[in-house]
Amino acid sequence: MTEKREYKDDYPDKKLYIPGPTEVREDVIEAMCEPMFGHRMDRMTDLYTTIVEDTKEFLGTDNDVIILTASGTEFWEASTLNLVDENILVATCGSFSERHANVAERLGKNVDRLEYDWGQAVKPEDVREALESSDKHYDVVACVMNESSTGVRNPIEEIGDVIAEYPDTYFVVDAVSSLGGDYVDIDEHNIDVIFASSQKAFAMPPGVAVCAVSNDAYERELEKDSASWYGGFQRSLDYYDRKGQTHSTPAIPIMLAYRKQMKHMLEESHEERSRRHREMAEYTREWARNHFEMFPEDGYESQTVSCIENTRGIDVAATIEEVSEKYDMVFSNGYGSALGEKTFRIGHMGEHDVASIEALTDAIEDVADL
């Protein structure tokens, strides 16, 4: 049995370099402190329509956007329930893509995996081969854009171009740890559903899930006999069209924070935000190759999370602990038992910049005596 551990009021502040949650601007945190108001008041309509339309503008999409109180996990379930009758093909190359397949199985769907070794990226030609050679019709192909367990960035643009040749198959993309920090043209590449979480590259407090939905995906749900209740595309989008609000009570303070941060993101622009993340990723990769090796397949490294292979055999857990104690900075070990000491991960997402990441790598060098 887990025992209660009382929350205290004297924790030291730590700068976060983990794959989310990440650092949040002070004015974004302060935005959560407005007096409470009702979720059916006109004030809520002003708030919700602002964040939905600002998000569409930031992403540069004509697709509809749903913003719900949830983690991105909600749209694993919802997209599967809304779009899949029987068969789904899930490309798996790490822990989170494998979990997407597990979710679909738990929901009673027939799941085929296009499997890759951890650290390898999904290849568009393999997706084509899987679609052409199968005797099944796949309602959905699902792929993670950014596999944060391994630091792999999959080429979802090229994969989407392949799936576009199969008009009755829908393309679902988990972009939880990359959207907002790695530019993708959603409409150009046939992405029917793409979703993210607020606490990653959006650099907001946790608790909000964002999903862009194509008209084809919306129409597909209308044809089905059953769909997700909370994350239903029809229920969410029709309520927005009628009321300009969420169908269920949202976490209003977090949406106030979302509004403030999205204004910052619009000011920077999606393209410039992506460029800044690319600069952080390039710096981190160069540093890693000078001292260790990168874990992902060459040419498919993430723009928001670097997974670094522990080729020098440092004590990853002890290094993380000492960097935290000495420098008040927190980075992450490898994901799960398979990679826990074999790799470590640096989250360069959100509001960090190259100078910020350099401060962390200097601290690691000091502690690990590199």
Side-chain angles (χ1 to χ4, degrees):
M1 289 287 292
T2 299
E3 296 182 359
K4 178 182 178 181
R5 292 174 47 173
E6 190 69 30
Y7 188 86
K8 304 182 290 289
D9 295 319
D10 59 349
Y11 298 96
D13 291 333
K14 305 286 184 179
K15 183 169 283 191
L16 301 178
Y17 297 88
I18 57 179
T22 188
E23 292 292 294
V24 179
R25 293 172 184 257
E26 192 64 33
D27 65 343
V28 174
I29 294 173
E30 291 171 353
M32 294 191 289
C33 298
E34 291 189 21
M36 191 50 54
F37 53 89
H39 69 291
R40 294 295 177 237
M41 295 170 63
D42 288 344
R43 184 173 175 179
M44 186 64 214
T45 305
D46 294 345
L47 173 60
Y48 192 62
T49 57
T50 295
I51 63 175
V52 167
E53 299 306 321
D54 280 357
T55 302
K56 290 177 67 174
E57 180 181 348
F58 174 79
L59 295 177
T61 183
D62 290 329
N63 290 348
D64 289 310
V65 165
I66 301 169
I67 300 174
L68 294 177
T69 299
S71 69
T73 303
E74 165 60 26
F75 288 109
W76 275 347
E77 287 193 330
S79 60
T80 303
L81 289 170
N82 296 346
L83 299 179
V84 181
D85 278 335
E86 295 184 15
N87 302 313
I88 178 172
L89 177 66
V90 183
T92 60
C93 58
S95 180
F96 293 98
S97 48
E98 177 62 31
R99 197 176 300 178
H100 197 156
N102 293 341
V103 167
E105 287 175 332
R106 288 291 299 270
L107 294 173
K109 307 305 180 182
N110 298 321
V111 179
D112 285 343
R113 289 168 172 80
L114 180 58
E115 294 182 285
Y116 293 85
D117 292 338
W118 284 32
Q120 298 295 301
V122 179
K123 308 304 190 297
E125 58 269 24
D126 294 341
V127 175
R128 182 187 300 279
E129 172 63 22
L131 292 172
E132 288 182 350
S133 63
S134 176
D135 57 1
K136 302 175 184 176
H137 166 70
Y138 291 113
D139 298 308
V140 162
V141 173
C143 185
V144 64
M145 176 177 173
N146 193 74
E147 179 54 79
S148 58
S149 67
T150 62
V152 166
R153 201 287 198 181
N154 285 315
I156 60 166
E157 293 88 348
E158 291 86 350
I159 294 167
D161 294 343
V162 168
I163 299 169
E165 300 174 23
Y166 300 83
D168 294 327
T169 297
Y170 298 84
F171 188 28
V172 173
V173 174
D174 167 0
V176 164
S177 59
S178 56
L179 198 65
D182 186 346
Y183 178 82
V184 57
D185 191 328
I186 297 168
D187 301 8
E188 178 67 20
H189 295 289
N190 188 53
I191 300 173
D192 292 292
V193 177
I194 186 169
F195 52 88
S197 295
S198 57
Q199 78 275 16
K200 306 279 187 175
F202 277 50
M204 301 175 189
V208 170
V210 182
C211 184
V213 181
S214 73
N215 188 62
D216 286 345
Y218 173 86
E219 294 292 336
R220 166 65 175 162
E221 185 194 311
L222 298 186
E223 299 171 357
K224 285 176 53 62
D225 294 330
S226 63
S228 171
W229 177 253
Y230 188 73
F233 301 152
Q234 179 185 13
R235 187 163 183 252
S236 298
L237 296 174
D238 287 3
Y239 202 93
Y240 180 72
D241 284 344
R242 294 196 310 272
K243 301 285 188 178
Q245 298 175 348
T246 56
H247 54 66
S248 302
T249 308
I252 295 172
I254 299 173
M255 289 191 172
L256 287 165
Y258 188 110
R259 169 189 166 271
K260 175 66 73 172
Q261 174 63 1
M262 184 50 67
K263 294 298 185 186
H264 289 305
M265 292 169 68
L266 282 169
E267 183 177 3
E268 185 176 18
S269 84
H270 200 172
E271 292 82 356
E272 283 301 303
R273 198 170 178 84
S274 185
R275 181 192 58 77
R276 177 167 55 80
H277 281 72
R278 184 166 58 253
E279 290 175 352
M280 290 190 287
E282 289 170 349
Y283 166 80
T284 308
R285 290 172 205 153
E286 182 179 0
W287 175 84
R289 288 169 179 141
N290 284 337
H291 297 287
F292 303 93
E293 292 293 341
M294 291 295 292
F295 183 73
E297 179 180 356
D298 187 44
Y300 295 94
E301 299 90 349
S302 164
Q303 193 162 287
T304 57
V305 180
S306 284
C307 185
I308 299 165
E309 188 172 1
N310 182 17
T311 53
R312 297 174 71 132
I314 67 170
D315 187 326
V316 170
T319 302
I320 290 171
E321 180 66 22
E322 190 171 347
V323 168
S324 174
E325 291 301 314
K326 188 174 181 179
Y327 290 99
D328 288 327
M329 299 175 179
V330 183
F331 65 106
S332 181
N333 60 353
Y335 194 86
S337 59
L339 298 179
E341 282 287 324
K342 294 179 180 178
T343 64
F344 61 91
R345 296 175 297 157
I346 295 174
H348 35 76
M349 60 172 66
E351 296 309 305
H352 285 296
D353 56 22
V354 170
S356 172
I357 303 303
E358 187 174 2
L360 172 66
T361 55
D362 286 349
I364 296 172
E365 288 181 25
D366 175 45
V367 168
D369 194 25
L370 301 180

